[in-house]
Short mmCIF file of all heavy atoms in Angstrom, two decimals:
data_model
loop_
_atom_site.label_atom_id
_atom_site.label_comp_id
_atom_site.label_asym_id
_atom_site.label_seq_id
_atom_site.Cartn_x
_atom_site.Cartn_y
_atom_site.Cartn_z
N HIS S 15 93.49 108.61 108.50
CA HIS S 15 94.71 109.56 108.32
C HIS S 15 95.57 109.70 109.53
O HIS S 15 96.47 110.46 109.58
CB HIS S 15 94.20 110.92 107.88
CG HIS S 15 93.77 110.97 106.43
ND1 HIS S 15 94.59 110.84 105.38
CD2 HIS S 15 92.54 111.00 105.88
CE1 HIS S 15 93.96 110.88 104.24
NE2 HIS S 15 92.70 110.99 104.56
N GLU S 16 95.22 108.98 110.57
CA GLU S 16 96.02 108.89 111.82
C GLU S 16 97.26 108.16 111.41
O GLU S 16 97.23 107.23 110.46
CB GLU S 16 95.31 108.21 112.97
CG GLU S 16 93.99 108.90 113.42
CD GLU S 16 94.25 110.24 114.13
OE1 GLU S 16 95.36 110.56 114.37
OE2 GLU S 16 93.26 110.92 114.39
N LYS S 17 98.39 108.31 112.16
CA LYS S 17 99.62 107.61 111.81
C LYS S 17 100.06 106.86 113.01
O LYS S 17 99.85 107.33 114.19
CB LYS S 17 100.72 108.51 111.24
CG LYS S 17 100.34 109.22 109.89
CD LYS S 17 101.48 110.05 109.48
CE LYS S 17 101.15 110.64 108.17
NZ LYS S 17 102.19 111.53 107.61
N TRP S 18 100.67 105.75 112.81
CA TRP S 18 101.17 104.83 113.79
C TRP S 18 101.99 105.65 114.86
O TRP S 18 101.93 105.39 116.05
CB TRP S 18 101.99 103.73 113.29
CG TRP S 18 102.39 102.68 114.24
CD1 TRP S 18 103.65 102.39 114.73
CD2 TRP S 18 101.57 101.67 114.91
NE1 TRP S 18 103.69 101.37 115.57
CE2 TRP S 18 102.34 100.87 115.77
CE3 TRP S 18 100.21 101.44 114.86
CZ2 TRP S 18 101.92 99.85 116.53
CZ3 TRP S 18 99.68 100.35 115.59
CH2 TRP S 18 100.58 99.56 116.43
N ASP S 19 102.81 106.63 114.46
CA ASP S 19 103.76 107.32 115.38
C ASP S 19 102.99 108.47 115.96
O ASP S 19 103.61 109.34 116.73
CB ASP S 19 104.97 107.76 114.65
CG ASP S 19 104.74 108.69 113.55
OD1 ASP S 19 103.68 109.29 113.27
OD2 ASP S 19 105.66 109.05 112.81
N GLY S 20 101.77 108.82 115.66
CA GLY S 20 100.99 109.87 116.34
C GLY S 20 101.11 111.19 115.58
O GLY S 20 100.49 112.19 116.02
N SER S 21 101.70 111.17 114.44
CA SER S 21 101.77 112.51 113.68
C SER S 21 100.72 112.69 112.63
O SER S 21 100.80 113.71 111.92
CB SER S 21 103.17 112.42 112.94
OG SER S 21 103.22 111.44 111.89
N GLY S 22 99.69 111.83 112.76
CA GLY S 22 98.59 112.08 111.75
C GLY S 22 97.53 113.00 112.27
O GLY S 22 97.67 113.70 113.26
N TYR S 23 96.40 112.96 111.62
CA TYR S 23 95.20 113.79 111.98
C TYR S 23 93.90 113.02 111.82
O TYR S 23 93.95 111.94 111.17
CB TYR S 23 95.28 115.08 111.12
CG TYR S 23 95.03 114.82 109.57
CD1 TYR S 23 93.72 114.92 109.08
CD2 TYR S 23 96.08 114.45 108.70
CE1 TYR S 23 93.46 114.69 107.70
CE2 TYR S 23 95.86 114.29 107.36
CZ TYR S 23 94.49 114.32 106.87
OH TYR S 23 94.37 114.17 105.56
N PRO S 24 92.86 113.38 112.39
CA PRO S 24 92.59 114.73 112.99
C PRO S 24 92.91 114.77 114.49
O PRO S 24 93.06 115.85 115.06
CB PRO S 24 91.10 114.94 112.79
CG PRO S 24 90.52 113.60 112.71
CD PRO S 24 91.57 112.70 112.14
N ARG S 25 93.11 113.63 115.18
CA ARG S 25 93.31 113.67 116.64
C ARG S 25 94.60 113.36 117.08
O ARG S 25 94.91 113.38 118.22
CB ARG S 25 92.24 112.72 117.26
CG ARG S 25 90.81 113.15 117.03
CD ARG S 25 89.80 112.26 117.70
NE ARG S 25 89.70 111.02 116.97
CZ ARG S 25 89.14 109.88 117.43
NH1 ARG S 25 88.59 109.92 118.55
NH2 ARG S 25 89.11 108.82 116.67
N GLY S 26 95.58 112.99 116.20
CA GLY S 26 96.98 112.61 116.61
C GLY S 26 96.96 111.38 117.48
O GLY S 26 97.81 111.21 118.29
N LEU S 27 96.06 110.42 117.06
CA LEU S 27 96.16 109.11 117.78
C LEU S 27 97.46 108.35 117.33
O LEU S 27 97.99 108.62 116.25
CB LEU S 27 94.97 108.27 117.40
CG LEU S 27 93.57 108.89 117.73
CD1 LEU S 27 92.51 107.93 117.25
CD2 LEU S 27 93.43 109.09 119.25
N SER S 28 97.91 107.46 118.19
CA SER S 28 98.99 106.64 117.76
C SER S 28 98.79 105.20 118.20
O SER S 28 98.02 104.83 119.06
CB SER S 28 100.27 107.23 118.53
OG SER S 28 100.16 107.01 119.86
N GLY S 29 99.60 104.38 117.53
CA GLY S 29 99.62 102.92 117.91
C GLY S 29 98.23 102.28 117.87
O GLY S 29 97.33 102.58 117.00
N ILE S 32 94.59 103.86 117.63
CA ILE S 32 93.91 103.99 116.30
C ILE S 32 93.13 102.66 116.10
O ILE S 32 93.70 101.56 116.15
CB ILE S 32 94.96 104.12 115.12
CG1 ILE S 32 95.85 105.28 115.43
CG2 ILE S 32 94.17 104.27 113.80
CD1 ILE S 32 97.12 105.31 114.48
N GLY S 72 105.98 101.28 110.82
CA GLY S 72 106.31 101.66 112.13
C GLY S 72 106.34 103.15 112.42
O GLY S 72 106.55 103.62 113.48
N SER S 73 106.20 103.95 111.27
CA SER S 73 105.97 105.36 111.47
C SER S 73 104.64 105.77 110.92
O SER S 73 103.77 106.18 111.82
CB SER S 73 107.11 106.06 110.71
OG SER S 73 107.11 105.83 109.35
N GLN S 74 104.35 105.66 109.71
CA GLN S 74 103.05 105.96 109.25
C GLN S 74 102.02 104.80 109.42
O GLN S 74 100.90 105.12 109.67
CB GLN S 74 103.11 106.29 107.73
CG GLN S 74 101.87 106.77 107.08
CD GLN S 74 101.99 107.33 105.69
OE1 GLN S 74 103.13 107.41 105.16
NE2 GLN S 74 100.86 107.69 105.04
N PHE S 75 102.54 103.59 109.34
CA PHE S 75 101.70 102.42 109.28
C PHE S 75 101.98 101.47 110.45
O PHE S 75 103.12 101.27 110.79
CB PHE S 75 101.81 101.63 107.94
CG PHE S 75 101.58 102.57 106.72
CD1 PHE S 75 102.62 102.80 105.86
CD2 PHE S 75 100.36 103.09 106.51
CE1 PHE S 75 102.36 103.56 104.66
CE2 PHE S 75 100.08 103.90 105.41
CZ PHE S 75 101.15 104.12 104.51
#
Side-chain angles (χ1 to χ4, degrees):
H15 286 288
E16 300 288 354
K17 294 184 180 178
W18 186 251
D19 66 7
S21 66
Y23 65 92
R25 295 182 287 168
L27 299 176
S28 65
I32 305 166
S73 57
Q74 185 172 352
F75 305 115

